[in-house]
DNA sequence: CCAATGATTTTGAATAGTCAAAATTATTTC
DNA sequence: GAAATAATTTTGACTATTCAAAATCATTGG
C-alpha cells in the first residue's frame, strides 16, 4: 500500500497537471504545493518512479503513469467525498473541511469510502464545486469560465470556487458567491481592474480581477 | 501532536492495564498486543517516557501518567465512536469494523469526533458492548459477569463480547449472543466443561467454558 | 554566443520506527 | 542457593522522509 506521503505527492502532481492542462510537472511546483524543500521533491520523485507511479525526466519534470493517475484520481475522490460528508452530514463549515479531509483521506478503506458515497447519495460535486471522480477514475469534464471570461449581461450559475483558503471562502460566502448561485457580470473595466456583479436580484457590487478569476461559472 | 504509533502504544497500555486490573504493564505484553518485537516495545517506551506519557521501571514495566491515561481514554473514545458510526450509519458488519477504526482513529480531529458523537446521539456503548469514555475521560464502571460466574436459572442481558476477533464474533452472532439479548444459564458442568444456555425462549444449546468466559452479562 | 538568473539536483545529516540476535537480568524449580 | 528458564534490554542495522546548503544545469536577454 502507498504511504500517506506517496498519496499526497501523487494527488498534488495530478492536481497541478490538471490545472496547468499539461501532463509534465516540475519539482519546484510540487515542492511549493506541498510545502517541502525542492530537494525533498526530487528525492521523493525517485520513490514514486520506483513504484512506477510517475515517469521522470531529469531537469524537466514528472508525468503520472496510468497507475499514478489512477491512484491520484482515487485520492481526489476520497478527498471530495469526505469533504461532502463533513459538510452535508456533520455540518462543518466549508472553510474548515479541507484540512480534515487531508488527513482522513489516507485512513479510509475502499469499502468505507463506498458506503460513505452511497450514504451521501453518490454526490457529483464537493462543497466547493469540484467534481468527484467516479470509482473508475473518470472526472466529468465540465465547461467552466471564470468571471473575467464569461459573457456579460447574462445570468450564469456559480459552479466552482478555485481558491479554497479560509480567507477567500469566507469572502465568497459573504458575497453570495457559492456554487449554485445565479450571478451576472454587469460590467468589466480593465483600467480600474474592476468587475461589477449581481447575485440574483440583489444589489450589485464590485470585486477585483484577481478575485473574479477565482470564481468559475457554467458556460453552456 | 502524538504520532499514530504513540497513540497506539498508549491505547494498548491502557487497555492491558484495565483488563489486568493492574496499572503496571510489561514489555512482553505490549509487544504481543501490538505485534512488534520485544525490543521495539522497550525502545518505544523511552519515547513515551520522554513525552511524559508513562512512568517506566526497568525490568518491571510501564505505568501511564495522568497525561497518558487521558490520551489513552481519548483514543478509546475515538475508536468506539468510530466503530459505532461504521455499524449504525454505514451498515458495516461488526466483524470488520475494528481494523477500520484502528486507522481512522488517528486521523480524526477533536471537532469532527464531537460532531460524529452528536450525530450518533452520544452513544454510551460501541457495537461490541464496550463503554464509550466521556469527553473528560471517564468510563462508566459497570457490573458485569461472564457466563461462568453469573447466576443460573435467571435471565440476564448480554452486555459485552470481549473476544472481538472475526471468528468469535461470527460465532456469537450465530448463537444470538449479542449485546442486548436475554440469556439464561441453565446449567454448568465442570467435568464436561459445558455451559448450557437459552436465548430468550429459544431452544437451549451448549458452549464450552472458554467461550462462556468471553460473553459478559449485566449483574444487577 | 554567453553571462546572469533561476530551477534543479546532490550531498550529508537528522528523526522516527522497526527488526534480529546477542547480552543481561529476573524468576522459578529443584 | 544454584541452575534452568523466561523476560527484558542492548546493539547494530535498515527504511522512509525530511532539511539546508552546495553544486550543477537550463534558459534567456543582450
Ligand atoms: Mn492528505
Ligand atoms: Mn474541495
Ligand atoms: Mn490505531
Ligand atoms: Mn469495540
Amino acid at each position: 500500500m502507498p504511504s500517506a506521503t506517496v498519496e499526497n505527492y501523487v494527488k498534488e502532481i495530478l492536481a497541478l497537471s490538471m490545472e496547468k492542462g499539461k501532463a509534465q510537472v516540475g519539482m519546484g511546483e510540487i515542492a511549493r504545493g506541498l510545502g517541502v524543500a525542492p530537494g525533498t521533491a526530487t528525492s521523493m520523485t525517485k520513490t514514486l518512479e520506483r513504484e512506477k507511479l510517475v515517469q521522470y525526466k531529469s531537469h524537466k519534470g514528472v508525468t503520472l503513469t496510468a497507475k499514478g493517475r489512477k491512484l491520484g484520481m482515487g485520492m481526489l475522490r476520497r478527498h471530495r467525498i469526505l469533504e461532502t460528508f463533513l459538510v452535508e452530514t456533520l455540518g462543518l463549515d466549508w472553510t474548515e473541511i479541507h484540512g480534515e479531509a487531508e488527513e482522513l483521506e489516507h485512513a479510509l478503506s475502499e469499502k468505507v469510502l463506498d458506503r460513505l458515497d452511497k450514504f451521501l447519495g453518490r454526490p457529483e460535486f464537493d462543497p466547493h464545486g469540484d467534481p468527484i471522480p467516479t470509482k473508475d477514475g473518470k472526472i466529468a469534464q465540465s465547461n467552466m469560465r471564470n468571471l473575467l471570461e464569461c459573457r456579460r449581461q447574462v445570468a450564469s450559475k456559480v459552479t466552482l470556487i478555485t481558491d479554497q483558503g479560509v480567507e477567500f471562502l469566507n469572502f465568497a460566502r459573504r458575497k453570495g458567491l457559492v456554487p449554485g448561485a445565479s450571478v451576472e457580470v454587469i460590467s468589466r473595466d480593465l483600467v480600474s481592474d474592476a468587475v461589477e456583479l449581481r447575485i440574483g436580484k440583489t444589489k450589485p457590487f464590485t470585486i477585483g480581477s484577481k478575485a473574479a478569476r477565482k470564481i468559475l461559472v457554467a458556460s453552456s
Side-chain angles (χ1 to χ4, degrees), chain A residues 56-74:
Chain A
Y56 176 47
K57 272 199 169 50
S58 191
H59 288 273
K60 288 296 174 183
V62 287
T63 313
L64 289 177
T65 61
K67 185 181 171 193
R69 191 161 31 257
K70 189 169 165 215
L71 175 59
M73 282 293 181

Side-chain angles (χ1 to χ4, degrees), chain A residues 125 129-131 139-145 159-160 216-220:
Chain A
F125 298 94
D130 277 304
I139 208 165
Q141 198 44 59
S142 49
N143 284 47
M144 294 190 264
R145 297 219 175 131
T159 50
L160 176 62
L216 305 198
V217 300
S219 79
S220 54

